[in-house]
Amino acid sequence: MALSDIVKAYDVRGLVDGQLTEEVVRALGAAFADEVDAGRPGAAPIVIGHDMRPSSPALAAAAADGARARGADVVMIGLCSTDATYFASGSLDAPAMMFTASHNPAAYNGIKFSRAGARGVSLDTGLAAIRDGAQRYLDEGLAEAPERGGLTERDVLPDYAAHLRSLVDLTRIRPLKVVVDAANGMGGMTVPAVLGGAAGLGQLPIEVVPLYFELDGTFPNHEANPLDPANLVDLQAAVVEHGADLGLAFDGDADRCFVIDERGGAVSPSAVAAIVAEREIRRVQAAGEQDVVVIHNLITSRSVPETITAAGATPVRTRVGHSLIKDRMAETGAVFGGEHSAHYYFRDFWGADNGMLAAMHVLATLGADDEPMSELAARYTPYASSGEINSTVADVPAAYTRIVEAFAGRGHFDELDGLTVMAADGAWWFSVRPSNTEPLLRLNVEGEQAATMAAIRDEVLALIRA
């Protein structure tokens, strides 16, 4: 099998047994050890964690075996969320592997790699070399180092929870009732530790109503993908039923968090990004920081850069992409970064993303006064948005040509990531981006008025699908 089938732009993702076998993963673990030079004397160990999928423990063990065969020491942290591996990588200054397929169905698994300090690894920054090295080991056999690396185990959950508590003070907020849908994913373990007393920390003024907290990688209730509105239905109903102040939905590896208001309405990830950005800007300004930078990708709402600017900071617009955002965080020293997909990045978390930390900022803002979540979200959602609409397209260049011809003279064209067109009067903008892995075009539209947004959305969709 060609590893290029499962090595994607930012991670490894494939079908268990058919594509992602223990043999393949052992080779990937060995190649990762080579890439980060973990077999040299005095090198930091490789941290390996995994989610609750049935295949994850065995795959994690196979990766550890491959890394140790190349002389690397390994620290197994067991069941954890992806952001807990970032915490371990950052706090231990060690490279890390996380076994998860995030929001994908149960038949899939995958690997997210980090260099020491939770720095991202993409095809351009080491993942291609890991792929090629693993392919050689599969084709020619794994060459073992003179001395095999050691193996230890460590529970990082208490330290992870304590670290998050140190970043956002929730002890003085008004009492809040929060329904949390963990989707049988790792949020079922991290939420009780961070927001409850499971990690031995003090009790917060937060009542958590749990929904699907049982760790079960077969996802018996619904897919662990909050981007799909169908997977929010149970949470929306539970928030209203329990008279809760808000709801939180986590994906399978609990690194993304979506927010539901007290009426059961979905809060835009852009609104969450704006809320958190404003808090982080104010915090570092109060500490004396003057040149504050916040990152946002090009398909977040226009309200995000407007909020950043109004708070006295500089917005930096980027392409879409996990490792790319991490790299830009490091380059610019940004205090925070927000994506439309509910990935939220924090300088105080080694530039890595952490959905739980974003949720804590929302809880802190909501708990500071009596304003309901719906009104808080509305203040940061002044524009009408289409959400992301995917279309299968046989000829992407032809679709681009139709769009360019139709909108010539009607707005400003930008090719930072796909094609973005912005109206000259600012009344609307849209972005059309190709998928990295599928014959899809992804459309996002925003307008000052709902009718304007709908008209532009329908016009562009017709051009894409012509």
Side-chain angles (χ1 to χ4, degrees), residues 57-148:
L59 292 178
D65 183 64
R68 293 176 66 204
R70 295 297 298 150
D73 292 332
V74 171
V75 176
M76 302 294 283
I77 62 173
L79 275 168
C80 62
S81 61
T82 289
D83 43 28
T85 64
Y86 297 150
F87 168 76
S89 178
S91 61
L92 300 175
D93 198 25
M97 301 174 71
M98 173 65 185
F99 281 82
T100 181
S102 185
H103 60 276
N104 286 134
Y108 289 82
N109 214 321
I111 315 170
K112 295 181 179 181
F113 298 95
S114 300
R115 295 186 185 274
R119 287 180 294 139
V121 179
S122 67
L123 279 177
D124 296 332
T125 59
L127 192 51
I130 295 167
R131 175 198 64 204
D132 296 343
Q135 190 71 61
R136 283 194 299 274
Y137 286 140
L138 288 171
D139 294 341
E140 304 169 10
L142 203 163
E144 301 213 3
E147 188 170 341
R148 187 173 174 82

Side-chain angles (χ1 to χ4, degrees), residues 80-299:
C80 62
S81 61
T82 289
D83 43 28
T85 64
Y86 297 150
F87 168 76
S89 178
S91 61
L92 300 175
D93 198 25
M97 301 174 71
M98 173 65 185
F99 281 82
T100 181
S102 185
H103 60 276
N104 286 134
Y108 289 82
N109 214 321
I111 315 170
K112 295 181 179 181
F113 298 95
S114 300
R115 295 186 185 274
R119 287 180 294 139
V121 179
S122 67
L123 279 177
D124 296 332
T125 59
L127 192 51
I130 295 167
R131 175 198 64 204
D132 296 343
Q135 190 71 61
R136 283 194 299 274
Y137 286 140
L138 288 171
D139 294 341
E140 304 169 10
L142 203 163
E144 301 213 3
E147 188 170 341
R148 187 173 174 82
L151 181 70
T152 57
E153 295 182 0
R154 181 166 182 160
D155 179 11
V156 301
L157 184 60
D159 290 340
Y160 165 78
H163 181 67
L164 295 198
R165 290 271 194 106
S166 75
L167 297 178
V168 181
D169 183 9
L170 294 173
T171 59
R172 297 180 178 85
I173 62 172
R174 65 181 170 91
L176 295 174
K177 180 185 285 190
V178 183
V179 182
V180 179
D181 185 347
N184 299 109
M186 291 313 305
M189 188 172 88
T190 57
V191 170
V194 177
L195 300 184
L201 304 174
Q203 192 62 45
L204 297 171
I206 297 172
E207 178 188 351
V208 174
V209 179
L211 203 59
Y212 312 139
F213 270 35
E214 303 79 18
L215 301 184
D216 188 340
T218 67
F219 308 111
N221 294 289
H222 61 72
E223 286 189 355
N225 180 14
L227 265 177
D228 184 345
N231 298 321
L232 296 175
V233 171
D234 291 355
L235 175 60
Q236 290 169 310
V239 168
V240 175
E241 176 190 346
H242 290 276
D245 295 288
L246 79 164
L248 303 174
F250 290 91
D251 65 349
D253 58 336
D255 64 345
R256 286 190 297 160
C257 183
F258 289 70
V259 179
I260 301 298
D261 68 29
E262 82 287 354
R263 298 172 178 171
V267 177
S268 160
S270 287
V272 173
I275 290 168
V276 180
E278 193 170 66
R279 281 181 55 85
E280 285 289 77
I281 293 165
R282 300 297 188 208
R283 179 181 64 82
V284 297
Q285 285 175 336
E289 197 168 325
Q290 294 181 339
D291 298 322
V292 184
V293 172
V294 175
I295 296 216
H296 68 98
N297 72 23
L298 80 169
I299 51 177

Side-chain angles (χ1 to χ4, degrees), residues 45 133 139 183 204 218 220 272 286 310 316 325 327 332 413 440 459 463:
D139 294 341
L204 297 171
T218 67
V272 173
V316 173
I325 299 284
D327 291 344
T332 62
F413 287 73
L440 296 176
E459 182 179 359
L463 293 164

